[in-house]
Structure formats: C-alpha cells, structure tokens
Amino acid sequence: MPFILLFWLLLPLFLDLWLTFVVAEAVGVNVWLFFLVSAALGVVLLAWEWRRVQMHWQALRRLEGSPWQLLASARRGLAALLLILPGLGSDVLALLLLFFVGRQGSVRRSNFGSGGGNNGNGNDGGNGRAAGTAYHASPGVIEGEFRRED
C-alpha cells in the first residue's frame, strides 16, 4: 500500500518531466538549458521576494503594513519555488501564479517605495498620519473628533 501511495504522489512529477522532454525535443531546445534557466530565474525571484517578505513583516510588526502585501509576497515566493522545480508544468503553474492579480494587486501597490500617503508636495493626503504609514481611509469614512453637547 505505501508503494501505491508513493507512486500516485510521484506520478505528476514524472509526467511533468516527460512533458518537458517532449516539448523541448519538439521545439529544438536543450532540455538541460531549459532547466538551468528556469531554476536561475526561480532563485533570483526567491531571493528578491525573501527581502520583500522581511520588509512586509517588519511593517506589520509596526502596524503600518497590510497582511495582503505579505500574502502577495508569499504567492510570488511559491511561484519562485515552482520555477526552481524541474518541469514545464510547474513552470506554467508558476507563471499563472505570477500573473494572477489578487484582490488589491492592481488597485493599490505597496507604500514602501512611494513614501506612504505623501503625494510628493509635502502633503500627507489630509489624514493627519505620518507619510510612511500604509493607512488608507475608505471613501465613506469621515474622520474627526466627537464632542457631546447636552
């Protein structure tokens, strides 16, 4: 029974390798060059994402970041690991993960490179927070102080 389970677990890997050899032969590309380039891109992407994960984690610890940024970096890290694995199927899956745009991917980017809510003219957007924070109020939120008068 354990050998049957092992067979079913390794079957996708063997089919992926077989598909890679068939496509490389049909295209006329050396399959080892294909594996090397894919693994090199995966290692570079993984190193880059590791730095970003550390940066997002530190921002979350300071209560300035968003957990969605950390999850997006984790998604790209998983894609990097799939690029390192040999096989065309894992590379296609990695590219799908890289091109998949999450909930906030195209709407709002990370504030680490842009200086937060600062729009370049010294104004922090009128929200009264520091320029380096990742705070974004919803359009329906009115901020102010409450004072009860009887």
Side-chain angles (χ1 to χ4, degrees):
M1 181 70 178
F3 292 113
I4 294 173
L5 182 62
L6 181 64
F7 172 75
W8 283 109
L9 288 175
L10 293 178
L11 183 65
L13 177 66
F14 289 132
L15 288 176
D16 190 17
L17 289 174
W18 175 77
L19 177 68
T20 304
F21 279 101
V22 168
V23 170
E25 184 179 324
V27 175
V29 176
N30 187 357
V31 71
W32 299 110
L33 179 66
F34 178 75
F35 288 154
L36 183 66
V37 168
S38 173
L41 288 175
V43 167
V44 168
L45 183 62
L46 189 63
W48 182 62
E49 280 305 317
W50 179 251
R51 285 193 299 264
R52 288 183 54 121
V53 163
Q54 290 174 339
M55 184 173 53
H56 292 312
W57 184 254
Q58 289 173 358
L60 279 175
R61 288 182 62 203
R62 292 187 311 261
L63 300 174
E64 294 177 351
S66 168
W68 295 107
Q69 296 169 339
L70 189 62
L71 287 175
S73 286
R75 177 181 47 88
R76 288 186 297 264
L78 178 63
L81 288 175
L82 286 172
L83 278 172
I84 292 171
L85 287 177
L88 186 64
S90 62
D91 292 345
V92 169
L93 187 60
L95 290 177
L96 287 176
L97 279 174
L98 287 174
F99 289 129
F100 174 74
V101 177
R103 193 174 84 154
Q104 297 176 347
S106 62
V107 177
R108 203 179 331 156
R109 294 289 181 196
S110 171
N111 288 339
F112 296 109
S114 64
N118 194 346
N119 57 9
N121 59 6
N123 187 7
D124 65 350
N127 59 12
R129 302 217 181 231
T133 62
Y135 176 78
H136 297 285
S138 338
V141 173
I142 300 173
E143 292 189 21
E145 295 183 17
F146 176 76
R147 185 176 64 190
R148 182 176 180 158
E149 297 180 10
D150 289 325

